[in-house]
């Protein structure tokens, strides 16, 4: 199974951009990169996913390195509500395991 | 929109007792999975299913059984509860394939005494 590596924790100031890194050096060509976050006392929620090209949605942007061995989740203006654990996950195709393994994630602290 | 529904939300068991955590989804998702989350830790995959009649083991399957007789339901059975199984359990579902977004239930908090 392809694995990801994330820093245990990061801090940010409110209203500043946040770049959350993820390394996935063993990624295969058909694996998608998914990001989820878990707010305190809640279940995880989907943030964004991508394959090769950078992706944007209303929550965040995903920047994927050209060799796909790393990616960065970008929160353009952090708010206190963005304080959460952020998980970077690789999802294999249906004909492989297709499961999603979360790992420990990065705990983001946002300071006012 | 019900989404993913887990029951019960809270349960206390004695060591050796058995129980079933229920999970149902109304989105016609092929993929369903169970995770456990211990305090201060990330989620660990217990079992998953890519369709009715198909189940597979995740990272920590010992002590748990699953079955998938319908698309909608994916119950998790604890065969003989142990204190080490005290945790919060999350059920999730998605379309199969590599792009499906996982939808999570609200979680079931289980305490084994």
């Amino acid at each position: 199974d392809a694995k990801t590596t994330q820093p245990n924790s990061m801090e940010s100031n409110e209203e500043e951009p946040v770049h959350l890194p993820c390394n996935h050096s063993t990624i295969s060509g058909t694996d998608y990169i998914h990001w989820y976050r878990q707010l305190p006392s809640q279940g995880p929620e989907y943030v964004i996913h991508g394959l090769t090209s950078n992706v944007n949605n209303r929550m965040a942007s995903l920047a994927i390195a050209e060799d796909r061995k790393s990616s960065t989740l970008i929160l353009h203006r952090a708010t206190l509500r963005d304080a959460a654990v952020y998980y970077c996950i690789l999802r294999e195709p249906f004909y492989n395991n297709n499961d999603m393994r979360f790992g420990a994630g990065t705990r983001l602290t946002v300071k006012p | 929109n019900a989404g993913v529904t887990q029951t019960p939300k809270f349960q206390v068991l004695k060591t050796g007792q058995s129980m079933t955590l229920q999970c149902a989804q109304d989105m016609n998702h092929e993929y369903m999975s169970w995770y456990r989350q211990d305090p201060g830790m990330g989620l660990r995959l217990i079992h998953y299913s890519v369709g009715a009649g198909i189940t597979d083991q995740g990272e920590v399957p010992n002590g748990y059984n699953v079955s998938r007789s319908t698309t909608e339901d994916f119950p998790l059975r604890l065969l003989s509860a142990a204190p080490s199984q005290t945790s919060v359990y999350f059920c999730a579902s998605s379309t199969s394939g590599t792009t499906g977004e996982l939808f999570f239930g609200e979680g079931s908090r289980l305490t084994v005494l």
Side-chain angles (χ1 to χ4, degrees):
Chain A
D1 295 335
K3 296 207 181 333
T4 63
T5 304
Q6 300 177 252
N8 289 334
S9 61
M10 292 185 64
E11 283 189 354
S12 170
N13 294 318
E14 196 175 10
E15 298 191 3
E16 290 186 353
V18 181
H19 291 233
L20 297 163
C22 181
N23 288 323
H24 28 79
S25 58
T26 60
I27 191 171
S28 68
T30 50
D31 293 347
Y32 269 74
I33 303 160
H34 287 246
W35 283 81
Y36 284 76
R37 73 179 186 180
Q38 187 173 21
L39 303 173
S41 301
Q42 295 188 25
E45 62 178 358
Y46 167 82
V47 177
I48 201 166
H49 74 272
L51 181 63
T52 56
S53 303
N54 295 345
V55 185
N56 301 298
N57 67 19
R58 62 176 180 81
M59 289 181 69
S61 296
L62 176 59
I64 301 173
E66 196 170 334
D67 63 4
R68 300 209 330 125
K69 293 184 185 300
S70 65
S71 61
T72 302
L73 180 71
I74 302 166
L75 308 178
H76 295 286
R77 289 185 66 201
T79 69
L80 296 178
R81 198 189 172 278
D82 291 322
V85 179
Y86 287 78
Y87 298 96
C88 169
I89 306 152
L90 301 182
R91 190 164 201 185
E92 299 180 27
F94 179 85
Y95 49 83
N96 277 352
N97 288 327
N98 198 226
D99 60 3
M100 296 188 74
R101 306 192 177 198
F102 274 66
T106 297
R107 182 174 299 276
L108 175 66
T109 302
V110 180
K111 296 183 288 185
Chain B
N1 292 335
V4 178
T5 303
Q6 288 182 234
T7 56
K9 288 187 170 46
F10 300 94
Q11 182 72 49
V12 178
L13 290 178
K14 294 181 180 178
T15 297
Q17 287 185 316
S18 62
M19 77 157 299
T20 299
L21 296 175
Q22 301 290 346
C23 177
Q25 53 92 8
D26 62 358
M27 296 172 282
N28 201 33
H29 285 164
E30 303 93 341
Y31 180 92
M32 296 186 74
S33 54
W34 277 103
Y35 296 88
R36 61 175 287 176
Q37 186 171 36
D38 300 334
M41 307 286 284
L43 282 77
R44 290 185 291 170
L45 181 66
I46 306 172
H47 286 284
Y48 66 100
S49 168
V50 297
I54 306 169
T55 63
D56 209 342
Q57 296 181 350
E59 303 166 272
V60 288
N62 292 342
Y64 306 95
N65 269 358
V66 292
S67 59
R68 185 92 180 271
S69 55
T70 67
T71 299
E72 295 78 18
D73 300 298
F74 191 44
L76 178 71
R77 296 181 188 85
L78 280 70
L79 308 172
S80 178
S84 61
Q85 294 179 303
T86 294
S87 191
V88 178
Y89 292 83
F90 289 101
C91 179
S93 75
S94 77
T95 56
S96 61
T98 48
T99 60
E101 169 189 345
L102 270 180
F103 292 84
F104 282 83
E106 294 183 346
S108 298
R109 184 175 296 275
L110 175 67
T111 301
V112 183
L113 303 175

